[in-house]
Amino acid sequence: MKDTNIFKTFRMTRYIFKFFVLSLFVYGQLAAQSSVNTKTNFIIIFADDLGYGDLGIYGHPTIQTPNLDQMALEGQKWTNFYVGSSVCTPSRAALLTGRLPIRSGMTSRPERVLFPDSKNGLPASEITLAEQLKNADYATACIGKWHLGHKKQYLPTNNGFDYYFGIPYSNDMNFEGTFTSKEEQRAVLAGSKNSEIENFNVPLMRNEEIIERPANQHTITKRYSEEAISFIKKNKDNPFFIYLAHNLPHIPLFASEEFLGTSSRGLYGDVVEEIDNGIGEIIKTLKEEGLDENTIVVFTSDNGPWLVFDENGGSAGLLKGGKGMTWEGGMREPCVFWGPSNIKPGVIQSIGTTMDLFNTFSSIAGIPIPQDRVMDGVDLSKTLFNRFPSEREDVFYYRGTELYAVRHGDYKAHFITEGEYGQFGEREMHNPPLLYNLSHDPSEKYNIASQNMEIINIIKNVVKEHQSNLIIGDDQLKDREGR
Ligand code: MG
């Protein structure tokens, strides 16, 4: 009897000990998990003036982009993805606010973008994607071209970004010298060789300080990629958002020694291939740090190719027009989503826009969408994770504050058409509008308006509804020093 009791006590003690050890183990695991970054990180890589046809995976015959091609194969390649405007400033405002730039006042005419003597920038009342992600304790970095106001109150550091490294506007600004003719300007900017950095006295900033002027643009692409890698390494234990907006391949073109003369596409190809190489290094870093399973990387471009610069401009592939225009080539862009554990691979024909990134990333991060304003994005996460069709049916193509065209499903109506930079014709009003079926005719060659008046009426109703809640923001682009 005594022996049995001793045995029982021993057994009980053993159980208590086991329970204690197990509890310690579980506690240790939980403690370890709580210090590990399990939220989804986001990296947006935004090229400047790269066209729909400029990547290998989008059909370019001589530009080699093996890293982006591989990401598209492992992730999603979108074929109907749009930006919010055909030029830099409004396109960037649309991406970061999830709203059409007409609402924030970041689109105008004749000043289509901000300049080094512009007085204003993105209004403080706008909520940027960085500010939104700060609500869920994301570390945030803006690396590269900003172009939403270079004065202190408008800089990335005052728009939700913890860190900024980059040129605050376009790389062709602060031109040193005068152009005697349009032809000379074109020749200097297009330059058949690697351009002289001294011609373009653009500042390079770290946070709110200018650290180099002129920025050495030969090495800028490489340095932007390195900055992104360094930010990833520093923030691997907490959720992070990186907005990496390359200044290139906007003219004037610059490549580092390592890439100069290496592409069979010429200097433009050297530049794009250097950007692609940096993206490969970023993906490699994510894998090495064990972050590839919980990071989504998206690549796209701010607007179509700047066609007037001939060989030094890019290609919109089979799309009509380019930068500055509301033809497809101006606003439809290559777009690759990558994230090996969550993006369901495939080619996506659904319509998406850069404005949808705000809603999509907010949804994935579990942050509610602002309710006090009209948002123009939709949540694409079901398309990304399950390949469900996106909820987006409409695309609005603005030039300044005028609505030039509307896409509704497969159909696009042009109410106004206008070329830019001396190409693709003068401004022309259309009544009835020109109508194209973009699924059948992506090059916008065959006007089918006369046989499809009922579709035009549907699109007119879409316009009516869109304009019924439209409040145009105060023009932020028109005021420049000395004008
Ligand atoms: Mg651009």
Side-chain angles (χ1 to χ4, degrees):
M1 195 68 183
K2 217 176 178 180
D3 282 357
T4 316
N5 276 343
I6 287 169
F7 184 67
K8 268 186 182 168
T9 309
F10 174 71
R11 246 188 1 193
M12 192 65 94
T13 312
R14 207 175 58 173
Y15 283 140
I16 290 169
F17 180 72
K18 267 188 175 173
F19 179 75
F20 179 70
V21 169
L22 192 69
S23 299
L24 269 183
F25 177 74
V26 170
Y27 176 79
Q29 286 292 303
L30 287 174
Q33 270 177 18
S34 68
S35 68
V36 165
N37 170 17
T38 52
K39 281 187 183 164
T40 305
N41 309 303
F42 304 107
I43 302 177
I44 297 174
I45 304 173
F46 212 33
D48 196 354
D49 293 7
L50 179 118
Y52 187 79
D54 280 328
L55 304 182
I57 194 83
Y58 280 78
H60 200 284
T62 51
I63 299 177
Q64 295 195 328
T65 51
N67 296 294
L68 280 163
D69 296 358
Q70 186 63 29
M71 288 163 68
L73 293 171
E74 291 173 10
Q76 292 184 354
K77 171 192 167 186
W78 286 57
T79 57
N80 286 283
F81 197 88
Y82 292 86
V83 288
S85 170
S86 65
V87 288
C88 299
T89 295
S91 175
R92 288 152 203 274
L95 182 151
L96 283 174
T97 62
R99 281 152 56 82
L100 285 165
I102 190 171
R103 300 191 200 277
S104 57
M106 293 298 281
T107 184
S108 179
R109 191 168 185 173
E111 307 301 346
R112 301 191 71 185
V113 299
L114 290 167
F115 291 88
D117 64 350
S118 294
K119 289 182 179 173
N120 302 315
L122 188 69
S125 54
E126 292 297 317
I127 300 170
T128 67
L129 179 54
E131 286 166 332
Q132 172 80 342
L133 291 169
K134 287 306 283 177
N135 293 330
D137 298 326
Y138 276 67
T140 53
C142 173
I143 296 160
K145 177 173 173 177
W146 176 240
H147 217 181
L148 295 174
H150 63 282
K151 294 198 168 172
K152 190 177 172 187
Q153 67 268 37
Y154 301 116
L155 286 171
T157 41
N158 284 309
N159 274 292
F161 289 100
D162 300 325
Y163 180 67
Y164 177 53
F165 178 88
I167 297 170
Y169 36 70
S170 296
N171 68 332
D172 64 336
M173 293 181 170
N174 300 120
F175 177 68
E176 294 287 296
T178 51
F179 297 121
T180 54
S181 66
K182 280 254 173 216
E183 289 68 36
E184 190 200 2
Q185 179 183 19
R186 253 180 79 176
V188 170
L189 291 176
S192 57
K193 60 183 192 311
N194 217 17
S195 307
E196 297 291 332
I197 59 168
E198 290 74 18
N199 286 341
F200 306 93
N201 193 29
V202 289
L204 177 65
M205 304 186 76
R206 192 182 302 280
N207 297 320
E208 294 167 6
E209 304 297 323
I210 294 174
I211 57 167
E212 187 178 300
R213 192 162 196 168
N216 182 350
Q217 295 201 53
H218 291 127
T219 56
I220 202 71
T221 296
K222 188 181 170 59
R223 285 191 284 168
Y224 284 168
S225 300
E226 287 168 356
E227 286 281 331
I229 287 167
S230 152
F231 194 82
I232 291 167
K233 288 183 174 171
K234 272 186 207 145
N235 290 282
K236 60 184 178 184
D237 294 330
N238 51 265
F240 60 82
F241 164 50
I242 300 174
Y243 170 55
L244 168 54
H246 282 287
N247 275 92
L248 293 160
H250 189 293
I251 55 85
L253 299 175
F254 296 93
S256 71
E257 261 180 46
E258 194 187 334
F259 284 85
L260 191 60
T262 58
S263 170
S264 42
R265 165 62 175 85
L267 181 55
Y268 186 88
D270 298 340
V271 170
V272 176
E273 291 179 17
E274 183 158 19
I275 290 172
D276 179 76
N277 180 71
I279 294 170
E281 293 298 314
I282 289 169
I283 298 294
K284 198 170 114 195
T285 304
L286 291 173
K287 288 180 177 167
E288 283 168 359
E289 299 293 344
L291 295 166
D292 51 321
E293 295 294 313
N294 66 325
T295 302
I296 291 177
V297 182
V298 54
F299 173 88
T300 188
S301 173
D302 71 330
N303 53 250
W306 209 346
L307 300 173
V308 73
F309 292 108
D310 303 339
E311 277 196 18
N312 279 353
S315 166
L318 83 175
L319 304 179
K320 184 173 182 174
K323 175 172 177 169
M325 305 174 211
T326 47
W327 295 107
E328 289 297 285
M331 289 176 60
R332 199 194 301 197
E333 287 299 324
C335 179
V336 172
F337 282 92
W338 181 88
S341 73
N342 44 29
I343 305 290
K344 193 169 183 185
V347 176
I348 304 298
Q349 294 187 8
S350 276
I351 304 172
T353 75
T354 49
M355 289 171 284
D356 302 331
L357 299 177
F358 190 106
N359 288 40
T360 306
F361 292 174
S362 297
S363 154
I364 295 169
I367 313 164
I369 300 298
Q371 297 297 315
D372 63 342
R373 60 198 67 210
V374 176
M375 299 297 293
D376 292 297
V378 302
D379 178 3
L380 302 176
S381 59
K382 288 188 178 129
T383 315
L384 298 180
F385 300 154
N386 309 104
R387 288 182 56 186
F388 291 161
S390 89
E391 286 166 28
R392 178 175 285 284
E393 276 191 307
D394 303 322
V395 179
F396 298 98
Y397 305 68
Y398 275 92
R399 180 167 174 143
T401 54
E402 275 187 298
L403 186 60
Y404 270 44
V406 174
R407 177 173 184 172
H408 178 67
D410 288 335
Y411 295 94
K412 178 178 176 185
H414 289 265
F415 300 96
I416 310 171
T417 52
E418 185 175 359
E420 181 62 311
Y421 313 110
Q423 296 183 327
F424 289 84
E426 298 296 313
R427 177 186 162 99
E428 207 178 328
M429 314 274 283
H430 303 280
N431 189 14
L434 308 177
L435 187 74
Y436 300 96
N437 179 329
L438 292 178
S439 290
H440 295 183
D441 177 21
S443 305
E444 299 174 283
K445 282 184 182 168
Y446 311 110
N447 178 15
I448 53 170
S450 59
Q451 312 95 286
N452 293 286
M453 290 313 288
E454 74 288 357
I455 292 168
I456 289 175
N457 286 333
I458 291 170
I459 294 179
K460 282 183 173 171
N461 282 331
V462 168
V463 172
K464 210 181 277 176
E465 202 189 321
H466 166 65
Q467 289 178 337
S468 69
N469 68 4
L470 184 65
I471 299 168
I472 301 176
D474 292 340
D475 187 339
Q476 302 299 321
L477 309 189
K478 69 176 195 308
D479 292 335
R480 296 174 62 176
E481 306 288 349
R483 290 198 180 200

